[in-house]
Amino acid sequence: MSSTSGADPGLFGPASVTWQVHGDPMMWIAGVRALYLQALHPRAVRGIMINSTFMDDAWGRLMRTAGFVGTTTYGTTEAAERAGERVRGIHRRLGVDDPELLLWVHCAEIDSYLGVARRSGLRMTDAQADRYVDEHRQSARLVGLDPRQVPACAEELAEYFAAMRPALEAGDDARAVHAFLRRPPVHPALVPARELVWRHVAGLALASLPPWALDLYGAPAPRAADRRLRATGAVLRGIPARLRWQLPPGHILKAVARLGPGSRPAPYKLDRMAAILGGPGRAQRSDGGDSTRWRTPG
């Protein structure tokens, strides 16, 4: 991959799995799925409800999370470190810097990004899935976690969810988040868009949860969730990347301008990287520690 000589590739860089995966449009659905999953931790969701403006500014929260992910993935090292410092400061002020809660939020996000990407048709080997999880010990460090205490591969991520399941429940706060995500308040002029677009996004995000999480929410088993994820992924990936990347704040376009045209994220580059990583990986489960269906033959 060509890049502008001397340019800072940031924390991950174009040679990382993260660089390719986070350019995928299905990350928006994965982000909503992460919210559903995070809400099942009683203490974590209580902190969200008490200390944040989630119910009043859910769109703002989603955009701030997307901005953080975009900055830490495609920004310079300095920009990523500054973003991490801001997040750690917010956590301290709100009193939500408990490592247990931070780890839950981190793992729910990484499991959602990885699981939705693979299930929607983004081709990744098991070794690449392991590498993706390992790379995100960097993002865990940024929010205040000790990387040594964070899952380093997909199998460890699955084991973490298995250990956490007895502590999870869909209490009043989780159900409030669930109801809110299904029908968030919008300007009257945007109600049709909510019914046509958001309903599909939220429904697909919920359907992509592992069966044990759906059971906690009392949601019925989804019909053809994988087929719907693949169909949605095909439609969204059919939109030219240059158009998608124009959406503010334009992290990817800024990174390409900094590093050169060879740094553009693209799914086919994962196939090239697979030959470098070589052989089957350890990854077996990437949907909340629930199944082995995403094992890729070596």
Side-chain angles (χ1 to χ4, degrees):
M1 296 179 188
S2 62
S3 65
T4 303
S5 177
D8 177 12
L11 292 183
F12 298 101
S16 68
V17 175
T18 295
W19 191 274
Q20 314 309 326
V21 172
H22 285 186
D24 190 81
M26 289 296 286
M27 290 300 97
W28 289 100
I29 290 174
V32 179
R33 192 249 201 201
L35 288 175
Y36 276 120
L37 194 55
Q38 289 164 358
L40 292 174
H41 190 299
R43 288 178 56 218
V45 71
R46 183 87 292 249
I48 291 174
M49 301 294 280
I50 292 176
N51 295 309
S52 80
T53 58
F54 176 75
M55 289 300 194
D56 298 322
D57 186 27
W59 304 114
R61 178 184 170 87
L62 284 171
M63 292 305 297
R64 286 190 293 273
T65 299
F68 178 78
V69 172
T71 299
T72 56
T73 303
Y74 299 110
T76 63
T77 302
E78 181 182 1
E81 295 291 348
R82 283 201 310 266
E85 186 175 359
R86 285 194 299 272
V87 167
R88 292 193 302 274
I90 292 170
H91 288 165
R92 285 193 298 270
R93 288 196 301 274
L94 296 179
V96 291
D97 54 351
D98 183 336
E100 179 188 339
L101 304 186
L102 294 178
L103 182 60
W104 170 253
V105 170
H106 169 81
C107 290
E109 288 179 353
I110 299 311
D111 182 78
S112 295
Y113 298 157
L114 180 61
V116 168
R118 297 187 90 181
R119 292 174 67 186
S120 64
L122 196 66
R123 291 171 46 138
M124 296 174 65
T125 66
D126 294 337
Q128 288 171 329
D130 280 344
R131 181 167 165 178
Y132 177 82
V133 175
D134 185 53
E135 287 172 356
H136 280 279
R137 291 195 288 174
Q138 277 273 33
S139 58
R141 174 186 64 80
L142 288 179
V143 300
L145 286 165
D146 180 349
R148 295 169 298 181
Q149 305 300 317
V150 177
C153 65
E155 184 174 3
E156 289 182 8
L157 187 61
E159 290 170 353
Y160 168 79
F161 279 103
M164 288 297 297
R165 280 170 61 176
L168 305 178
E169 63 178 64
D172 292 342
D173 288 335
R175 294 185 182 281
V177 170
H178 180 200
F180 181 86
L181 288 174
R182 289 181 61 194
R183 293 178 65 85
V186 296
H187 188 279
L190 295 177
V191 170
R194 181 185 65 186
E195 297 304 309
L196 289 173
V197 178
W198 181 256
R199 191 180 208 174
H200 176 75
V201 170
L204 193 54
L206 180 67
S208 69
L209 289 171
W212 60 261
L214 289 168
D215 286 344
L216 289 177
Y217 274 120
R223 293 183 180 179
D226 291 346
R227 187 171 67 222
R228 290 164 55 199
L229 283 165
R230 288 192 298 270
T232 302
V235 170
L236 293 181
R237 292 171 191 133
I239 301 171
R242 293 283 304 185
L243 292 179
R244 291 190 274 107
W245 296 344
Q246 293 291 340
L247 294 173
H251 294 293
I252 295 177
L253 290 179
K254 292 174 184 175
V256 171
R258 184 175 81 249
L259 299 172
S263 65
R264 292 189 186 98
Y268 72 85
K269 292 182 179 179
L270 289 171
D271 290 333
R272 292 181 181 176
M273 293 167 63
I276 298 174
L277 287 172
R282 298 183 301 276
Q284 295 184 19
R285 294 166 292 186
S286 59
D287 62 348
D290 176 71
S291 75
T292 59
R293 60 184 146 180
W294 297 116
R295 184 167 181 81
T296 304

